[in-house]
Amino acid sequence: TGMTYRLGDAVTVKLVEAALVKLGFLGASYGADGAYGTRTVAAFNAFRRSIGMKGADATGDPGRQSLGTLGSRSGLFTVK
């Protein structure tokens, strides 16, 4: 059985931050606080732009597609 996380849960945010650090979008000093703050948001938006998302698709709350791509590229998690 897999664990279910919701974005905003500290564990989920830490996984996203770890993936962003691993892929070079977030500095390691910001990658473990579990807070989805301005630096994590900016890093995630930069990641989305790097995978070809544009406009409103490259900002706002993380969606299933962008989270799934982040997880698969980093090898740290999957999104079902």
Side-chain angles (χ1 to χ4, degrees):
T1 61
M3 298 291 291
T4 301
Y5 301 108
R6 297 180 193 282
L7 189 61
D9 295 343
V11 172
T12 304
V13 174
K14 285 182 180 184
L15 285 171
V16 169
E17 288 174 331
L20 291 168
V21 168
K22 184 174 182 180
L23 296 175
F25 290 95
L26 183 64
S29 62
Y30 301 102
D33 65 2
Y36 197 69
T38 57
R39 291 187 189 273
T40 305
V41 169
F44 196 83
N45 290 344
F47 168 74
R48 287 193 277 203
R49 288 189 301 276
S50 80
I51 61 171
M53 295 180 140
K54 296 178 182 173
D57 290 337
T59 61
D61 291 336
R64 181 176 297 275
Q65 178 186 357
S66 55
L67 283 171
T69 303
L70 179 66
S72 66
R73 289 198 180 175
S74 67
L76 297 179
F77 60 89
T78 58
V79 175
K80 295 183 180 183

